[in-house]
Amino acid sequence: MADKKNINPPDRMAALFAEVESHRGYLVRFATAKLRDGDQAEEVVQEALLAALDGVGSFSGQSSLRTWLTSILKFKIIDFQRRVIAERAHFSQAPDEDDSADPEWMDRLFDDTGHWGQRLAEWSNPDDALQQKQFFEVFERCMDKLPKAAGRVFFQREVMGIETDEICKEEGISASNCWVMLHRARLALRECLDRNWFQGVKS
Amino acid sequence: MSDAAELSCKEAARLMSKRQDVALTNDEQENLKNHLYQCLSCRRFEQQLGFLRQLAQRYSKGGAATENEPT
Ligand SMILES: [Zn+2]
């Protein structure tokens, strides 16, 4: 007769939800430290918490709830980083424009004698820009605007740090072609950052 | 007599970009050096190229270094 009644399942779940939720702040700080981006961190933590609640049955209680949540979060962060890299690597494979759309583009940067059409301005406080999230957003938008092949090659070379030889082989193009593409990408990015960031920074 | 070729900015820029991926020949280096000596815009381009590389590397590590949101 003294059968101790379990707390009914919905209540138990609600309590667990609340407890899981109470670790959110810590998890966001953890993810932010790792990803260096508050918004991305929130997003990943959200994914991790949903996964945790989904799999709460597998929580053995042997480790603390926080440790368990953190281990899920770590997987989610790795996942997330892979996804971002993959998206970046393929963003430029959009089917439309390519380099041949505007072959004269590069020539217009220089005048008939091969000198810069416009004198290059000095970039002030570039180190400061590297501390700002908005600057990286501008950089992303600038990469998005590159011709698809140039964007892909630039990303592999400069962001992924892959050697030129390897990229050329993968792309099936000659080394000199590879350099031309990289050069175009760098020129275009320089222009884009100049226009969309540095010309507005005066100090 | 070795006539050091006068580079245009366009050629100098191409060499600076190429230098990020492979070593230049001695002639290329020499011509580039001469051009940079007398051309402010190209010196700026050189700096900005270096910065671009730094930026891409930082980006690959997740972007802005600040952990706290600037307000
Ligand atoms: Zn020049």
Side-chain angles (χ1 to χ4, degrees):
Chain A
M1 83 187 279
D3 67 331
K4 190 173 165 198
K5 218 176 155 200
N6 283 335
I7 320 170
N8 73 47
D11 282 356
R12 188 174 162 270
M13 279 310 269
L16 203 51
F17 272 41
E19 213 192 325
V20 164
E21 196 56 40
S22 74
H23 294 289
R24 184 188 287 268
Y26 163 79
L27 296 170
V28 169
R29 286 195 301 281
F30 182 93
T32 307
K34 205 87 181 156
L35 293 169
R36 311 249 181 226
D37 180 306
D39 289 346
Q40 290 181 356
E42 300 266 3
E43 197 180 322
V44 179
V45 168
Q46 185 59 26
E47 280 181 25
L49 290 182
L50 288 174
L53 292 172
D54 248 2
V56 87
S58 71
F59 174 56
S60 63
Q62 289 190 344
S63 56
S64 77
L65 185 61
R66 179 176 282 194
T67 306
W68 181 66
L69 291 172
T70 308
S71 68
I72 294 173
L73 179 61
K74 282 179 187 162
F75 280 115
K76 289 291 170 191
I77 288 173
I78 292 169
D79 243 28
F80 183 84
Q81 284 172 323
R82 279 205 195 114
R83 228 158 52 217
V84 168
I85 298 272
E87 273 166 26
R88 289 275 124 218
H90 292 285
F91 73 84
S92 50
Q93 286 179 339
D96 50 12
E97 32 76 270
D98 63 47
D99 299 7
S100 57
D102 184 8
E104 255 117 72
W105 171 85
M106 207 159 79
D107 295 325
R108 278 190 275 104
L109 286 177
F110 300 94
D111 65 21
D112 293 343
T113 62
H115 288 87
W116 295 99
Q118 252 187 333
R119 168 184 276 235
L120 270 65
E122 189 173 8
W123 285 356
S124 54
N125 298 326
D127 291 338
D128 204 57
L130 290 178
Q131 305 300 321
Q132 297 189 46
K133 208 173 99 184
Q134 293 92 324
F135 179 63
F136 283 89
E137 287 164 6
V138 170
F139 178 53
E140 282 183 334
R141 281 207 301 280
C142 287
M143 284 199 292
D144 280 341
K145 282 196 284 189
L146 291 174
K148 59 175 181 172
R152 197 164 57 238
V153 171
F154 177 85
F155 190 89
Q156 292 177 343
R157 178 74 189 101
E158 301 290 353
V159 179
M160 308 283 281
I162 301 171
E163 288 302 320
T164 325
D165 297 353
E166 205 177 315
I167 301 170
C168 305
K169 214 185 299 162
E170 189 120 319
E171 291 279 323
I173 52 180
S174 68
S176 63
N177 218 327
C178 230
W179 293 325
V180 171
M181 273 202 233
L182 279 167
H183 183 40
R184 295 168 76 94
R186 288 169 181 143
L187 282 169
L189 284 171
R190 194 213 72 84
E191 279 286 300
C192 185
L193 292 176
D194 190 67
R195 225 186 354 245
N196 294 294
W197 185 271
F198 289 104
Q199 282 183 13
V201 182
K202 298 274 184 267
S203 59
Chain B
M1 73 179 193
S2 74
D3 46 352
E6 286 274 323
L7 291 185
S8 67
C9 294
K10 192 176 175 180
E11 290 160 329
R14 189 183 60 81
L15 289 181
M16 286 186 270
S17 190
K18 185 180 169 191
R19 189 172 60 181
Q20 299 228 302
D21 304 305
V22 283
L24 300 181
T25 66
N26 288 342
D27 279 355
E28 285 172 334
Q29 279 178 44
E30 190 64 19
N31 292 338
L32 179 58
K33 204 174 92 190
N34 290 333
H35 182 89
L36 286 177
Y37 183 69
Q38 57 181 352
C39 180
L40 178 61
S41 281
C42 281
R43 286 202 297 277
R44 287 181 173 155
F45 183 69
E46 185 184 29
Q47 284 176 348
Q48 292 169 4
L49 264 189
F51 175 76
L52 204 54
R53 172 155 285 182
Q54 203 188 341
L55 168 61
Q57 284 168 0
R58 187 71 72 84
Y59 178 73
S60 75
K61 296 191 186 102
T66 42
E67 196 169 312
N68 302 314
E69 295 287 288
T71 43

